[in-house]
Amino acid sequence: EFHIIHEDPDDITKKRDNDVAIYFEDSEGTFWVGGTDGLYTMDKSTEEFTKKIPISTFDIYEDNNHRLWIATGSGLFTYDLQTKEFSNSLRNDNNQNSIVNDHLNKIFIDRAGNIWLGSISGISIFRPSKNKFKHYYHIAENPNTPASNHITAILQDNQNRIWLGSANKGVDFFDEHLNKLGDYKSANNN
């Protein structure tokens, strides 16, 4: 049996809207809920919400250093579970080491600890060992690039292949060095 928690825009202890893009429980047991109206924590015993970020939030992932990586419509947020502090990274056209786009759909951390960010404009991969981002885009003339820049899903399988789902061009899969191995497209995506 499901228990429904209703939104209430007039009650600050409730979520403002009824949409949910992501829910996540961190390693300390805090329950996070994100949607177009922001990112919240929810006390499961009282069902009270506390707004943490007033920005559309689409995905959350926790790394081995107890830091949350948060994909939003306004850049990449990180939250340190120990210091309880947020930081924000935005696209900067004058800095190649910034994220590829401020609208991030998906976050994934691979087995090597690299943080993958799927956006509406391609992929940013943060390599902690180098402390920098690398970007990958769809290039029409190059069949070895992702089929689309609008990345909505990222996964690593047990053979270390990276699978990228897109909003409109199917699924691509790559080896861990981003050599394209193949793709799957719907009949409508020739």
mmCIF file of all heavy atoms in Angstrom, residues 85-108:
data_model
loop_
_atom_site.group_PDB
_atom_site.id
_atom_site.type_symbol
_atom_site.label_atom_id
_atom_site.label_comp_id
_atom_site.label_asym_id
_atom_site.label_seq_id
_atom_site.Cartn_x
_atom_site.Cartn_y
_atom_site.Cartn_z
ATOM 1 N N GLU A 85 27.885 22.060 3.691
ATOM 2 C CA GLU A 85 27.981 23.239 2.828
ATOM 3 C C GLU A 85 27.746 22.871 1.368
ATOM 4 O O GLU A 85 28.226 21.844 0.886
ATOM 5 C CB GLU A 85 29.355 23.886 2.973
ATOM 6 C CG GLU A 85 29.583 24.503 4.332
ATOM 7 C CD GLU A 85 30.961 25.132 4.478
ATOM 8 O OE1 GLU A 85 31.771 25.018 3.534
ATOM 9 O OE2 GLU A 85 31.215 25.735 5.533
ATOM 10 N N PHE A 86 27.024 23.759 0.671
ATOM 11 C CA PHE A 86 26.795 23.646 -0.761
ATOM 12 C C PHE A 86 27.822 24.476 -1.515
ATOM 13 O O PHE A 86 28.256 25.526 -1.037
ATOM 14 C CB PHE A 86 25.406 24.191 -1.141
ATOM 15 C CG PHE A 86 24.269 23.279 -0.818
ATOM 16 C CD1 PHE A 86 23.551 23.446 0.355
ATOM 17 C CD2 PHE A 86 23.912 22.265 -1.691
ATOM 18 C CE1 PHE A 86 22.487 22.620 0.657
ATOM 19 C CE2 PHE A 86 22.842 21.434 -1.398
ATOM 20 C CZ PHE A 86 22.127 21.608 -0.221
ATOM 21 N N SER A 87 28.171 24.044 -2.708
ATOM 22 C CA SER A 87 28.908 24.886 -3.654
ATOM 23 C C SER A 87 28.266 24.692 -5.021
ATOM 24 O O SER A 87 27.588 23.696 -5.264
ATOM 25 C CB SER A 87 30.396 24.547 -3.673
ATOM 26 O OG SER A 87 30.593 23.227 -4.119
ATOM 27 N N ASN A 88 28.470 25.656 -5.908
ATOM 28 C CA ASN A 88 27.821 25.651 -7.214
ATOM 29 C C ASN A 88 28.846 25.913 -8.302
ATOM 30 O O ASN A 88 29.690 26.795 -8.166
ATOM 31 C CB ASN A 88 26.726 26.721 -7.232
ATOM 32 C CG ASN A 88 25.964 26.802 -8.531
ATOM 33 O OD1 ASN A 88 25.806 27.877 -9.072
ATOM 34 N ND2 ASN A 88 25.470 25.699 -9.048
ATOM 35 N N SER A 89 28.776 25.127 -9.377
ATOM 36 C CA SER A 89 29.628 25.327 -10.553
ATOM 37 C C SER A 89 28.733 25.630 -11.744
ATOM 38 O O SER A 89 27.785 24.901 -12.014
ATOM 39 C CB SER A 89 30.445 24.068 -10.855
ATOM 40 O OG SER A 89 31.280 23.750 -9.781
ATOM 41 N N LEU A 90 29.070 26.694 -12.454
ATOM 42 C CA LEU A 90 28.298 27.122 -13.612
ATOM 43 C C LEU A 90 29.148 27.079 -14.872
ATOM 44 O O LEU A 90 30.382 27.093 -14.806
ATOM 45 C CB LEU A 90 27.784 28.547 -13.410
ATOM 46 C CG LEU A 90 26.802 28.749 -12.268
ATOM 47 C CD1 LEU A 90 26.594 30.228 -12.006
ATOM 48 C CD2 LEU A 90 25.483 28.055 -12.568
ATOM 49 N N ARG A 91 28.495 27.076 -16.006
ATOM 50 C CA ARG A 91 29.166 27.160 -17.294
ATOM 51 C C ARG A 91 29.849 28.510 -17.395
ATOM 52 O O ARG A 91 29.274 29.542 -17.058
ATOM 53 C CB ARG A 91 28.139 26.997 -18.424
ATOM 54 C CG ARG A 91 28.658 27.314 -19.798
ATOM 55 C CD ARG A 91 29.406 26.169 -20.374
ATOM 56 N NE ARG A 91 29.934 26.536 -21.678
ATOM 57 C CZ ARG A 91 31.084 26.105 -22.128
ATOM 58 N NH1 ARG A 91 31.810 25.283 -21.417
ATOM 59 N NH2 ARG A 91 31.504 26.464 -23.305
ATOM 60 N N ASN A 92 31.103 28.498 -17.852
ATOM 61 C CA ASN A 92 31.848 29.728 -18.065
ATOM 62 C C ASN A 92 32.513 29.616 -19.432
ATOM 63 O O ASN A 92 33.428 28.809 -19.605
ATOM 64 C CB ASN A 92 32.887 29.913 -16.960
ATOM 65 C CG ASN A 92 33.707 31.167 -17.131
ATOM 66 O OD1 ASN A 92 33.785 31.763 -18.207
ATOM 67 N ND2 ASN A 92 34.354 31.582 -16.051
ATOM 68 N N ASP A 93 32.055 30.392 -20.393
ATOM 69 C CA ASP A 93 32.587 30.326 -21.757
ATOM 70 C C ASP A 93 34.073 30.638 -21.836
ATOM 71 O O ASP A 93 34.733 30.264 -22.800
ATOM 72 C CB ASP A 93 31.813 31.270 -22.683
ATOM 73 C CG ASP A 93 30.391 30.795 -22.919
ATOM 74 O OD1 ASP A 93 30.140 29.581 -22.820
ATOM 75 O OD2 ASP A 93 29.521 31.646 -23.198
ATOM 76 N N ASN A 94 34.606 31.322 -20.846
ATOM 77 C CA ASN A 94 36.031 31.673 -20.830
ATOM 78 C C ASN A 94 36.888 30.646 -20.093
ATOM 79 O O ASN A 94 38.081 30.854 -19.924
ATOM 80 C CB ASN A 94 36.227 33.047 -20.195
ATOM 81 C CG ASN A 94 35.541 34.126 -21.001
ATOM 82 O OD1 ASN A 94 35.610 34.138 -22.221
ATOM 83 N ND2 ASN A 94 34.854 35.023 -20.312
ATOM 84 N N ASN A 95 36.266 29.545 -19.649
ATOM 85 C CA ASN A 95 36.988 28.535 -18.886
ATOM 86 C C ASN A 95 36.651 27.148 -19.429
ATOM 87 O O ASN A 95 35.543 26.663 -19.228
ATOM 88 C CB ASN A 95 36.625 28.639 -17.401
ATOM 89 C CG ASN A 95 37.349 27.640 -16.537
ATOM 90 O OD1 ASN A 95 38.092 26.794 -17.018
ATOM 91 N ND2 ASN A 95 37.116 27.724 -15.239
ATOM 92 N N GLN A 96 37.599 26.520 -20.103
ATOM 93 C CA GLN A 96 37.367 25.179 -20.648
ATOM 94 C C GLN A 96 37.173 24.142 -19.552
ATOM 95 O O GLN A 96 36.704 23.041 -19.816
ATOM 96 C CB GLN A 96 38.536 24.763 -21.540
ATOM 97 C CG GLN A 96 38.625 25.530 -22.828
ATOM 98 C CD GLN A 96 39.781 25.039 -23.688
ATOM 99 O OE1 GLN A 96 40.716 24.428 -23.220
ATOM 100 N NE2 GLN A 96 39.688 25.329 -24.978
ATOM 101 N N ASN A 97 37.529 24.470 -18.327
ATOM 102 C CA ASN A 97 37.387 23.541 -17.221
ATOM 103 C C ASN A 97 36.054 23.720 -16.489
ATOM 104 O O ASN A 97 35.892 23.281 -15.371
ATOM 105 C CB ASN A 97 38.557 23.686 -16.236
ATOM 106 C CG ASN A 97 38.667 22.494 -15.321
ATOM 107 O OD1 ASN A 97 38.398 21.369 -15.716
ATOM 108 N ND2 ASN A 97 39.048 22.744 -14.091
ATOM 109 N N SER A 98 35.087 24.369 -17.143
ATOM 110 C CA SER A 98 33.764 24.490 -16.543
ATOM 111 C C SER A 98 32.852 23.438 -17.177
ATOM 112 O O SER A 98 33.217 22.771 -18.141
ATOM 113 C CB SER A 98 33.204 25.898 -16.752
ATOM 114 O OG SER A 98 32.907 26.139 -18.108
ATOM 115 N N ILE A 99 31.652 23.298 -16.618
ATOM 116 C CA ILE A 99 30.704 22.310 -17.144
ATOM 117 C C ILE A 99 30.222 22.710 -18.530
ATOM 118 O O ILE A 99 30.284 23.875 -18.913
ATOM 119 C CB ILE A 99 29.524 22.105 -16.174
ATOM 120 C CG1 ILE A 99 28.779 23.421 -15.918
ATOM 121 C CG2 ILE A 99 30.014 21.491 -14.881
ATOM 122 C CD1 ILE A 99 27.578 23.294 -15.006
ATOM 123 N N VAL A 100 29.740 21.723 -19.296
ATOM 124 C CA VAL A 100 29.374 21.945 -20.690
ATOM 125 C C VAL A 100 28.106 22.798 -20.827
ATOM 126 O O VAL A 100 27.939 23.517 -21.800
ATOM 127 C CB VAL A 100 29.249 20.592 -21.431
ATOM 128 C CG1 VAL A 100 28.028 19.818 -20.963
ATOM 129 C CG2 VAL A 100 29.232 20.780 -22.926
ATOM 130 N N ASN A 101 27.214 22.722 -19.840
ATOM 131 C CA ASN A 101 25.960 23.470 -19.889
ATOM 132 C C ASN A 101 25.425 23.580 -18.464
ATOM 133 O O ASN A 101 25.668 22.691 -17.651
ATOM 134 C CB ASN A 101 24.946 22.743 -20.785
ATOM 135 C CG ASN A 101 23.718 23.575 -21.071
ATOM 136 O OD1 ASN A 101 22.898 23.810 -20.191
ATOM 137 N ND2 ASN A 101 23.578 23.999 -22.311
ATOM 138 N N ASP A 102 24.685 24.638 -18.164
ATOM 139 C CA ASP A 102 24.118 24.794 -16.823
ATOM 140 C C ASP A 102 22.910 23.896 -16.578
ATOM 141 O O ASP A 102 22.564 23.632 -15.428
ATOM 142 C CB ASP A 102 23.722 26.248 -16.573
ATOM 143 C CG ASP A 102 24.926 27.139 -16.327
ATOM 144 O OD1 ASP A 102 26.005 26.614 -15.959
ATOM 145 O OD2 ASP A 102 24.801 28.358 -16.515
ATOM 146 N N HIS A 103 22.253 23.443 -17.646
ATOM 147 C CA HIS A 103 21.110 22.536 -17.472
ATOM 148 C C HIS A 103 21.618 21.098 -17.504
ATOM 149 O O HIS A 103 21.938 20.571 -18.562
ATOM 150 C CB HIS A 103 20.056 22.751 -18.561
ATOM 151 C CG HIS A 103 18.824 21.930 -18.317
ATOM 152 N ND1 HIS A 103 17.662 22.489 -17.913
ATOM 153 C CD2 HIS A 103 18.598 20.596 -18.398
ATOM 154 C CE1 HIS A 103 16.755 21.526 -17.761
ATOM 155 N NE2 HIS A 103 17.311 20.373 -18.043
ATOM 156 N N LEU A 104 21.694 20.483 -16.333
ATOM 157 C CA LEU A 104 22.194 19.118 -16.215
ATOM 158 C C LEU A 104 21.038 18.168 -15.917
ATOM 159 O O LEU A 104 20.243 18.409 -15.006
ATOM 160 C CB LEU A 104 23.238 19.034 -15.101
ATOM 161 C CG LEU A 104 24.457 19.944 -15.276
ATOM 162 C CD1 LEU A 104 25.338 19.879 -14.040
ATOM 163 C CD2 LEU A 104 25.236 19.576 -16.523
ATOM 164 N N ASN A 105 20.961 17.078 -16.685
ATOM 165 C CA ASN A 105 19.896 16.097 -16.518
ATOM 166 C C ASN A 105 20.287 14.926 -15.631
ATOM 167 O O ASN A 105 19.453 14.379 -14.920
ATOM 168 C CB ASN A 105 19.495 15.511 -17.879
ATOM 169 C CG ASN A 105 18.979 16.537 -18.827
ATOM 170 O OD1 ASN A 105 18.200 17.400 -18.440
ATOM 171 N ND2 ASN A 105 19.410 16.477 -20.073
ATOM 172 N N LYS A 106 21.536 14.507 -15.728
ATOM 173 C CA LYS A 106 21.930 13.237 -15.132
ATOM 174 C C LYS A 106 23.340 13.298 -14.585
ATOM 175 O O LYS A 106 24.207 13.964 -15.149
ATOM 176 C CB LYS A 106 21.849 12.145 -16.204
ATOM 177 C CG LYS A 106 21.834 10.754 -15.676
ATOM 178 C CD LYS A 106 20.549 10.481 -14.949
ATOM 179 C CE LYS A 106 20.504 9.076 -14.400
ATOM 180 N NZ LYS A 106 19.464 8.918 -13.428
ATOM 181 N N ILE A 107 23.572 12.561 -13.492
ATOM 182 C CA ILE A 107 24.901 12.412 -12.902
ATOM 183 C C ILE A 107 25.162 10.923 -12.709
ATOM 184 O O ILE A 107 24.258 10.174 -12.313
ATOM 185 C CB ILE A 107 25.009 13.127 -11.546
ATOM 186 C CG1 ILE A 107 24.908 14.628 -11.741
ATOM 187 C CG2 ILE A 107 26.308 12.761 -10.835
ATOM 188 C CD1 ILE A 107 25.034 15.425 -10.485
ATOM 189 N N PHE A 108 26.391 10.519 -12.995
ATOM 190 C CA PHE A 108 26.782 9.133 -12.763
ATOM 191 C C PHE A 108 28.256 9.107 -12.368
ATOM 192 O O PHE A 108 29.061 9.841 -12.944
ATOM 193 C CB PHE A 108 26.569 8.287 -14.026
ATOM 194 C CG PHE A 108 26.976 6.863 -13.852
ATOM 195 C CD1 PHE A 108 26.173 5.985 -13.138
ATOM 196 C CD2 PHE A 108 28.177 6.404 -14.346
ATOM 197 C CE1 PHE A 108 26.555 4.673 -12.943
ATOM 198 C CE2 PHE A 108 28.569 5.086 -14.163
ATOM 199 C CZ PHE A 108 27.751 4.209 -13.460
#
